Amino acid sequence: MASHPHHPHDHSYKLLFSHPEMVRDLLTGFVKEAWVEQLDFSTLEKVSGSYITEDLRDREDDVIWRVRWGDDWLYVYLLLEFQSSVDKFMAVRVMTYLGLLYQDLIRQEAFTPNGKLPPVLPIVLYNGERRWTAAQNVADLVEQVPGGLERYRPDLAYLLLDEGAVISDPEWSDHMRNVAAALFRLEHNRDEQDMLEVLGTLVEWLKAPEQTGLRRAFVVWIRRVLLPNRAPGMELPEFNELQDLHEVHDMLAERIKQWPERWEEKGRQEGLQEGLQEGLQEGLQEGEQRGIEKTARNLIKLGLLSDEQIAEATGLTVADVEELREKDAH
């Protein structure tokens, strides 16, 4: 996002939601409202970057689609949020982005048959570990002032899809035939077997030749995001050349068996390295101590300095110098 540090999810998620199947399943699976049934999903059309102004093109991690709703176009503005913390003022950002989109639609004269602006559905797709707590309507962020001023308060809501909350909802179904739901489940998989099961399901769902692009988009996301997060620090070069989903599934099914052994070996190597470093440090400290004691002994033999002066010169305590003097005297 233009205003936030780059996150590895950004482009791979955008690639996934640049496919109509993902947007269709997102709407049919997670927007529980009657009007969705009236959409003609065969008309789903991604709004190209040349259609919108530079202000919105800077929102490079967001995706804009439009779909026929009767005689009108409905726009879907999909904001992809990968912040580690919840943005308290997300509703203000949504209001700003929708204002920019409407300015572009006015410039393009993209009005309804009645000469009005088309409806826009703003969706915030969030995949953070913490549950989303920010206001979902900008009105909730503006102080209420009685006496008539409250009528000028902006009122704009967005649809929040908090993946973690979706997955943990008691009504969630693991058997929903929905590629967007499969993505959420992969993102929040319970264990390696759960991950393999979802991947196997996706291989079956996306086997048609016309779904090659979406299969490859999943492969990119799995290689760049899912596996690095699932096995952090583990080199997985065998996956770099894979291009199709069934290849990823088959290789994962084989490699996952070895993951516990590789994690154990990695832990042993890290423990050994840490032990060597600690031993080296202790050795240096021990050697330094011996050198200081040797210097103190030499000064004692010279007989020119008091124990206090030797202690000050070497950094030892007076008691340490006295102990060395006694040892050398015997």
Side-chain angles (χ1 to χ4, degrees), residues 186 189-199 227 230-231 249 252-253 255-257 259-260 263:
L186 278 174
N189 65 81
R190 295 184 294 267
D191 50 41
E192 286 79 9
Q193 193 56 45
D194 185 38
M195 181 168 62
L196 276 179
E197 182 181 326
V198 180
L199 282 174
L227 292 182
R230 190 69 189 177
H249 174 267
L252 264 179
R255 294 296 184 270
I256 278 176
K257 300 174 187 176
W259 281 9
W263 280 325

Side-chain angles (χ1 to χ4, degrees), residues 154-323:
D155 185 0
L156 178 68
Y158 61 86
L159 173 65
L160 171 70
L161 293 181
D162 180 342
E163 292 183 14
V166 167
I167 295 295
S168 59
D169 190 311
E171 297 184 4
W172 165 262
S173 170
D174 284 349
H175 304 292
M176 184 190 309
R177 185 184 175 91
N178 185 298
V179 287
L183 173 65
F184 297 172
R185 186 175 160 194
L186 278 174
E187 185 100 74
H188 300 269
N189 65 81
R190 295 184 294 267
D191 50 41
E192 286 79 9
Q193 193 56 45
D194 185 38
M195 181 168 62
L196 276 179
E197 182 181 326
V198 180
L199 282 174
T201 300
L202 278 174
V203 169
E204 178 64 25
W205 288 352
L206 302 178
K207 61 185 178 182
E210 61 270 21
Q211 294 172 314
T212 299
L214 183 53
R215 287 199 304 272
R216 288 180 177 170
F218 266 104
V219 170
V220 170
W221 176 77
I222 290 167
R223 287 197 331 231
R224 295 183 182 177
V225 178
L226 181 64
L227 292 182
N229 286 345
R230 190 69 189 177
M234 188 181 291
E235 296 294 329
L236 299 167
E238 61 266 37
F239 289 94
N240 292 341
E241 302 302 320
L242 299 185
Q243 297 296 322
D244 213 347
L245 200 57
H246 74 87
E247 296 175 340
V248 172
H249 174 267
D250 292 348
M251 186 169 284
L252 264 179
E254 184 62 32
R255 294 296 184 270
I256 278 176
K257 300 174 187 176
Q258 305 168 8
W259 281 9
E261 297 175 6
R262 293 175 68 177
W263 280 325
E264 185 178 343
E265 177 62 25
K266 186 171 182 288
R268 281 200 299 266
Q269 292 296 330
E270 289 176 351
L272 176 61
Q273 185 64 27
E274 185 177 340
L276 289 172
Q277 290 293 334
E278 289 179 358
L280 177 60
Q281 185 64 29
E282 290 175 1
L284 289 172
Q285 291 173 353
E286 186 178 338
E288 183 180 357
Q289 182 68 20
R290 284 200 298 267
I292 291 172
E293 290 177 357
K294 184 176 181 181
T295 301
R297 282 189 162 102
N298 289 337
L299 291 174
I300 291 170
K301 287 178 182 179
L302 288 174
L304 299 176
L305 300 176
S306 66
D307 289 353
E308 288 78 7
Q309 290 171 321
I310 294 173
E312 184 177 353
T314 60
L316 296 172
T317 65
V318 173
D320 290 336
V321 176
E322 291 174 350
E323 185 179 346

Side-chain angles (χ1 to χ4, degrees), residues 72-73 75 102 105-106 109-119:
D72 300 334
W73 286 105
Y75 285 76
Y102 273 131
L105 295 176
I106 292 170
E109 297 185 357
F111 304 118
T112 69
N114 294 326
K116 294 185 177 182
L117 291 166

